[in-house]
């Protein structure tokens, strides 16, 4: 059956309304959710924010290692050290090598452009940082739904994005519904942010 036929036979889908729907619980999506909640709290307003994540948990689909400049984290949480952010290993040395078939040559540090200098940065597990950001977001009241991929973008009649729908569950390999079939859910928002990562 096509997705449209499934919807016609088993629909309508359940839906939930939010002020902001964010697709992707990576650093960008979570930082967006956190900042929205911070701004709302500063203006003494309520804003409902949901983050949808296809991985089993936030950070499950993140590259493992990275060098991180903490400037954006400091803007988001000036007290990130006190909050236990997993930035534990500062960069202690930079080395830039030119490799050849027979060996390598070291570039003098004075000749390195600024983008290759990591003084003040940290070597991190980006998966750990993402999980920590998710904890901070949930502490601010952000709802995070892991294990659900956004399968469809939903539009209004005039073509504006009105939210997303999660994928249907309980579909057999041949595309037919099984006894465990369940329609995806609609997450509708005044704003929808697509933070789907580097791909």
């Amino acid at each position: 059956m096509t997705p449209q036929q499934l919807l016609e036979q088993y629909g309508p889908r359940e839906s939930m309304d939010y002020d902001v729907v964010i697709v992707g619980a990576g650093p960008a999506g979570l930082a967006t959710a956190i900042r929205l909640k911070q701004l709302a709290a500063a203006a003494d307003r309520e804003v409902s924010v949901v983050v949808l994540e296809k991985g089993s948990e936030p950070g499950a689909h993140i590259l493992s290692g990275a060098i991180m400049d903490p400037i954006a984290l400091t803007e988001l949480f000036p007290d990130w050290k006190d909050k236990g952010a997993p930035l534990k290993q500062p960069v202690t040395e930079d080395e830039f090598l030119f490799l050849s078939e027979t060996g390598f040559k070291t570039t003098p540090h004075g000749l390195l452009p600024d983008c290759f200098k990591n003084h003040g940065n940290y070597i991190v597990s980006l998966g750990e940082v993402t999980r920590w950001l998710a904890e901070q977001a949930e502490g601010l009241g952000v709802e995070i739904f892991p294990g659900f991929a956004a399968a469809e973008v939903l539009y209004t009649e005039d073509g504006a994005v009105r939210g997303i729908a999660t994928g249907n569950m309980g579909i057999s390999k041949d595309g037919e519904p099984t006894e465990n079939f369940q329609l995806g859910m609609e997450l509708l928002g005044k704003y929808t942010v697509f933070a789907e990562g580097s791909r």
Side-chain angles (χ1 to χ4, degrees):
M1 296 180 101
T2 67
Q4 186 58 37
Q5 289 171 326
L6 289 170
L7 187 57
E8 288 169 3
Q9 182 172 344
Y10 294 96
R13 293 187 274 225
E14 290 184 41
S15 68
M16 296 174 71
D17 292 314
Y18 293 90
D19 292 313
V20 182
V21 174
I22 299 172
V23 179
L30 292 169
T32 300
I34 289 166
R35 192 66 182 135
L36 287 169
K37 284 295 207 174
Q38 289 174 335
L39 291 171
D44 200 26
R45 296 183 56 201
E46 272 298 315
V47 174
S48 59
V49 180
V50 65
V51 180
L52 195 67
E53 169 55 39
K54 69 181 174 187
S56 59
E57 65 176 345
H61 286 218
I62 299 293
L63 297 172
S64 62
I67 295 176
M68 181 177 170
D69 182 342
I71 190 169
L73 187 61
T74 301
E75 289 177 10
L76 204 56
F77 293 110
D79 58 344
W80 59 264
K81 288 181 183 178
D82 296 334
K83 289 182 176 287
L87 280 71
K88 300 173 184 138
Q89 179 57 55
V91 173
T92 57
E93 184 179 356
D94 288 315
E95 241 183 293
F96 194 86
L97 307 174
F98 284 99
L99 304 178
S100 69
E101 291 179 8
T102 59
F104 65 89
K105 291 188 182 204
T106 304
T107 303
H109 288 269
L111 298 178
L112 287 176
D114 287 343
C115 63
F116 290 128
K117 297 176 182 172
N118 289 295
H119 179 75
N121 295 344
Y122 290 80
I123 300 168
V124 299
S125 162
L126 206 49
E128 285 183 18
V129 172
T130 303
R131 282 188 287 281
W132 182 83
L133 284 171
E135 291 170 10
Q136 304 311 304
E138 288 177 324
L140 293 170
V142 174
E143 292 183 46
I144 300 175
F145 295 155
F148 294 96
E152 180 184 352
V153 180
L154 304 174
Y155 298 93
T156 63
E157 288 182 14
D158 62 353
V161 174
R162 66 184 186 97
I164 59 94
T166 63
N168 298 329
M169 296 171 38
I171 301 286
S172 67
K173 290 181 184 179
D174 60 358
E176 296 299 317
T178 67
E179 67 275 0
N180 298 322
F181 177 76
Q182 189 175 9
L183 272 177
M185 177 172 261
E186 294 182 354
L187 300 176
L188 307 176
K190 297 172 186 169
Y191 298 95
T192 303
V193 177
F194 296 96
E196 297 180 280
S198 59
R199 298 185 197 178

